[in-house]
């Protein structure tokens, strides 16, 4: 029988390197489940056999540990949120100021040089010129006398001097002009130790028609003299000075702008001047001052037309604005003293009803702007509102419990009621930093 060479080579039941067990090896996998050998065995109670070096962990202890960790985390988040919300906490204090409603039907006298306790006004003056170019389309045979305005001065004595109609005034270049109506020139007076000549404004017109009588202020040299006083010592003490150009004189065939068009143009220029002056007055007056809708007067002056050549003419108008302005705080305080029986002098504001009527009239019989006193009248309803200091309220509110605000703040500051709104809503005290507190009025627009 043939031999099996391979079989003969293999040594049976002899130790081999392939048969040497690895030290420490287990005969079951890592996740093998060992079941308890007891009659009440339940698969839910099976245990995991840990590998060597691992600790056996009890299931209930693990759950408790997780609960504690989550509790600590949630508590930490709550503390952090509270700290953040406290840092960014803000508050609004809503103030209802003291107020009193009154009905006005009164007139008061205001003076430029008023004594303490009286009503004082200031005069605001603005000037503006405007012009519009027109075309001369009418041809006429004209004989027109030049005219203009001058101011006649009396530096002779304290007595008044009457100059009758057609009194002749001679210019420095020898041209004769007359006054159309009689005038009375006031005497000179002493003010502050200084002698001030009396003066009056008047219109003058040329003795004859013609362009040679046209004079521009810039071309005049010297004063007008009263021709009738020549040879008298009054001659050197009565004189006239031009206030406007003297023009309009013509003789012969000329071209002119139709009179109806000139009249309409001048009316439009004056309306434009009024609008511009009022706008400028409101913009330039002190912020602490009041200028009422009817508290101004405008003096219009018709300036001479300017011949531009080529049948073009400039129509010129000038206006002077006189605004009667009052210091708002002093006016309101004065009215409060007149209308509130227990007024203690605290700062107040005055809110006039939209339908209230305010009128201002002058004691001057000539021009309103020349008076030294004005009557200001009010007719309608108004409210006096006590003024409070926002910065002082912020400081006094800082760190206070919002339930105590009304009691604390209503003691002074002209406040009727106060309440606080805090963010976040669970906080009861206002921020300690006054800058984080906003002060608002419960009165709309105040």
């Amino acid at each position: 029988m043939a031999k099996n060479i391979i079989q003969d080579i293999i040594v049976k039941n002899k130790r081999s390197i392939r048969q040497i067990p690895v030290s420490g090896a287990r005969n079951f996998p890592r996740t093998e489940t060992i079941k308890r050998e007891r009659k009440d065995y339940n698969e839910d109670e099976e245990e995991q056999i840990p590998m060597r070096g691992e600790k056996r962990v009890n299931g209930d202890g693990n759950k408790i540990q997780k609960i504690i960790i989550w509790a600590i985390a949630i508590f930490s988040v709550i503390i952090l949120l509270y700290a953040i919300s406290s840092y960014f906490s803000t508050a609004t204090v809503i103030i209802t100021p003291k107020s009193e409603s009154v009905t006005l039907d009164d007139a008061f006298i205001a003076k430029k040089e008023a004594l303490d306790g009286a009503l004082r006004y200031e005069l605001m003056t603005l000037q503006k010129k405007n012009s519009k170019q027109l075309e001369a389309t009418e041809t006429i045979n004209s004989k027109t006398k030049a005219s203009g305005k001058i101011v006649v001065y009396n530096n002779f004595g304290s007595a008044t001097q009457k100059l009758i109609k057609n009194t002749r005034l001679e210019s420095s270049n020898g041209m004769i002009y007359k006054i159309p109506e009689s005038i009375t020139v006031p005497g000179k007076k002493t003010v502050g130790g200084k002698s001030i000549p009396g003066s009056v404004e008047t219109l003058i017109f040329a003795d004859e028609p013609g362009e040679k009588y046209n004079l521009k202020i810039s071309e005049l040299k010297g004063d007008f003299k009263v021709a009738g006083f020549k040879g008298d010592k009054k001659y050197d003490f009565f004189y006239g000075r031009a206030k406007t150009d003297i023009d309009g004189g013509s003789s012969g065939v000329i071209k002119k702008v139709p009179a109806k068009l000139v009249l309409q143009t001048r009316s439009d220029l004056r309306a434009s001047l009024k609008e511009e002056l009022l706008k400028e007055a409101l913009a330039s007056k002190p912020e602490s001052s009041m200028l009422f809708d009817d508290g101004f007067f405008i003096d219009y002056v018709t300036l001479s037309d300017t011949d531009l050549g080529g049948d073009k003419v400039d129509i010129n108008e000038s206006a002077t604005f006189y605004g009667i302005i009052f210091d708002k705080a002093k006016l309101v305080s004065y009215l409060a003293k007149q209308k509130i029986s227990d007024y203690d002098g605290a700062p107040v504001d005055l809110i006039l009803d939209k339908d209230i009527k305010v009128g201002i009239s002058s004691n001057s019989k000539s021009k309103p702007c020349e008076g030294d006193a004005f009557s200001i009248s009010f007719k309608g309803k108004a409210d006096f509102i006590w003024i409070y200091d926002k910065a002082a309220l912020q400081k006094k509110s800082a760190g206070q419990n919002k339930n105590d605000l009304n009691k604390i703040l209503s003691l002074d500051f002209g406040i009727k009621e106060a309440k606080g709104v805090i963010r976040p809503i669970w906080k009861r005290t206002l921020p300690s930093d006054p800058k984080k507190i906003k002060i608002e009025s419960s009165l709309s627009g105040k």
Side-chain angles (χ1 to χ4, degrees):
M1 182 175 64
K3 292 183 180 180
N4 187 338
I5 297 175
I6 297 176
Q7 183 178 357
D8 292 341
I9 294 175
I10 297 175
V11 179
K12 293 183 179 180
N13 297 323
K14 297 292 184 177
R15 291 177 62 86
S16 168
I17 190 169
R18 294 180 181 175
Q19 294 173 322
I20 298 174
V22 178
S23 176
R26 301 297 291 266
N27 294 325
F28 48 82
R30 178 179 177 181
T31 58
E32 179 182 357
T33 303
I34 302 176
K35 301 180 180 179
R36 299 181 184 276
E37 294 182 356
R38 64 174 187 248
K39 294 181 179 180
D40 59 345
Y41 169 76
N42 188 326
E43 287 190 3
D44 293 338
E45 296 178 351
E46 62 186 14
E47 295 179 289
Q48 297 293 327
I49 304 300
M51 294 183 65
R52 180 177 297 177
E54 294 182 1
K55 291 185 178 180
R56 191 182 187 94
V57 179
N58 182 276
D60 292 339
N62 190 35
K63 291 181 180 179
I64 294 173
Q65 186 179 19
K66 289 181 179 180
I67 291 172
I68 293 173
I69 292 173
W70 274 105
I72 293 173
I74 293 172
F75 182 74
S76 299
V77 170
I78 292 173
I79 295 297
L80 178 62
L81 290 175
Y82 182 82
I84 293 174
S85 64
S86 297
Y87 181 78
F88 291 103
S89 173
T90 60
T92 300
V93 177
I94 302 172
I95 300 298
T96 301
K98 294 179 182 178
S99 62
E100 183 160 339
S101 298
V102 297
T103 298
L104 297 170
D105 190 6
D106 308 89
F108 308 99
I109 298 299
K111 295 184 177 181
K112 194 171 184 179
E113 303 295 335
L115 300 175
D116 290 342
L119 190 57
R120 183 176 181 274
Y121 76 89
E122 293 182 6
L123 192 63
M124 180 183 191
T125 305
L126 299 171
Q127 287 185 318
K128 192 175 282 291
K129 294 180 181 179
N130 211 342
S131 62
K132 185 175 182 179
Q133 187 181 112
L134 299 177
E135 186 174 359
T137 58
E138 288 185 351
T139 302
I140 61 170
N141 187 6
S142 172
K143 287 187 178 182
T144 307
K145 295 181 179 181
S147 62
K149 290 183 179 181
I150 68 168
V151 178
V152 179
Y153 292 90
N154 174 4
N155 201 24
F156 180 72
S158 58
T160 60
Q161 176 67 52
K162 184 175 182 179
L163 299 179
I164 63 172
K165 179 180 178 179
N166 290 327
T167 293
R168 295 180 302 144
L169 296 166
E170 184 177 5
S171 67
S172 57
N173 61 355
M175 309 300 289
I176 299 296
Y177 301 83
K178 298 178 180 178
I179 59 175
E181 300 291 340
S182 298
I183 59 173
T184 299
V185 189
K188 67 178 181 178
K189 56 185 178 181
T190 302
V191 178
K194 185 177 179 181
S195 179
I196 306 296
S199 63
V200 64
E201 182 181 307
T202 184
L203 181 70
I204 62 171
F205 61 92
D207 192 35
E208 297 177 359
E211 294 181 357
K212 67 178 182 178
Y213 287 90
N214 294 337
L215 296 174
K216 291 186 177 297
I217 294 179
S218 58
E219 298 173 352
L220 284 171
K221 296 180 181 179
D223 299 322
F224 291 86
K225 295 291 188 178
V226 180
F229 287 160
K230 191 173 288 188
D232 190 293
K233 57 184 179 180
K234 292 182 179 180
Y235 185 77
D236 293 327
F237 295 95
F238 282 86
Y239 51 90
R241 289 179 180 170
K243 186 176 181 180
T244 66
D245 291 341
I246 300 171
D247 52 19
S250 62
S251 180
V253 177
I254 62 169
K255 273 193 168 184
K256 61 176 293 186
V257 179
K260 187 175 181 180
L261 180 57
V262 171
L263 188 63
Q264 182 60 51
T265 300
R266 292 197 183 281
S267 177
D268 293 343
L269 287 173
R270 290 190 175 192
S272 177
L273 284 168
K274 178 180 178 180
E275 182 179 350
E276 292 175 12
L277 284 167
L278 184 56
K279 184 177 180 180
E280 183 179 339
L282 293 173
S284 60
K285 76 174 183 62
E287 190 174 341
S288 59
S289 298
M290 295 181 72
L291 174 64
F292 294 102
D293 291 343
D294 295 326
F296 62 89
F297 307 94
I298 299 180
D299 183 23
Y300 297 100
V301 176
T302 296
L303 302 177
S304 59
D305 302 338
T306 305
D307 187 356
L308 302 176
D311 297 335
K312 301 294 183 182
V313 177
D314 255 351
I315 305 300
N316 303 302
E317 284 286 327
S318 172
T320 303
F321 176 93
Y322 300 94
I324 313 303
I325 60 175
F326 298 87
D327 182 280
K328 183 177 181 180
K330 292 180 180 179
L331 173 62
V332 173
S333 178
Y334 177 85
L335 294 176
K337 290 177 183 177
Q338 311 302 315
K339 303 301 294 184
I340 302 176
S341 58
D342 59 346
Y343 177 63
D344 59 0
V348 291
D349 195 5
L350 179 63
I351 308 300
L352 299 175
D353 188 84
K354 64 179 181 178
D355 296 324
I356 199 168
K357 297 186 182 299
V358 181
I360 296 179
S361 58
S362 172
N363 64 349
S364 173
K365 293 182 179 180
S366 53
K367 291 184 179 180
C369 55
E370 293 178 351
D372 58 4
F374 286 88
S375 173
I376 177 170
S377 61
F378 299 88
K379 189 174 182 62
K381 296 183 180 297
D383 292 301
F384 287 99
I385 310 294
W386 268 250
I387 298 174
Y388 50 84
D389 187 334
K390 288 188 177 182
L393 287 182
Q394 287 174 314
K395 290 181 180 180
K396 198 162 188 178
S397 302
Q400 300 291 341
N401 188 297
K402 72 175 185 178
N403 294 328
D404 298 331
L405 274 181
N406 189 55
K407 181 180 178 181
I408 295 171
L409 300 184
S410 61
L411 295 175
D412 47 21
F413 295 102
I415 295 171
K416 181 180 179 181
E417 185 180 10
K419 64 179 181 179
V421 178
I422 306 176
R423 295 287 184 275
I425 59 176
W426 61 77
K427 288 189 66 65
R428 309 301 297 170
T429 59
L430 280 74
S432 58
D433 184 357
K435 294 179 180 179
K436 295 183 178 181
I437 301 174
K438 184 180 180 181
I439 306 297
E440 290 185 353
S441 174
S442 63
L443 301 179
S444 177
K446 308 299 185 293

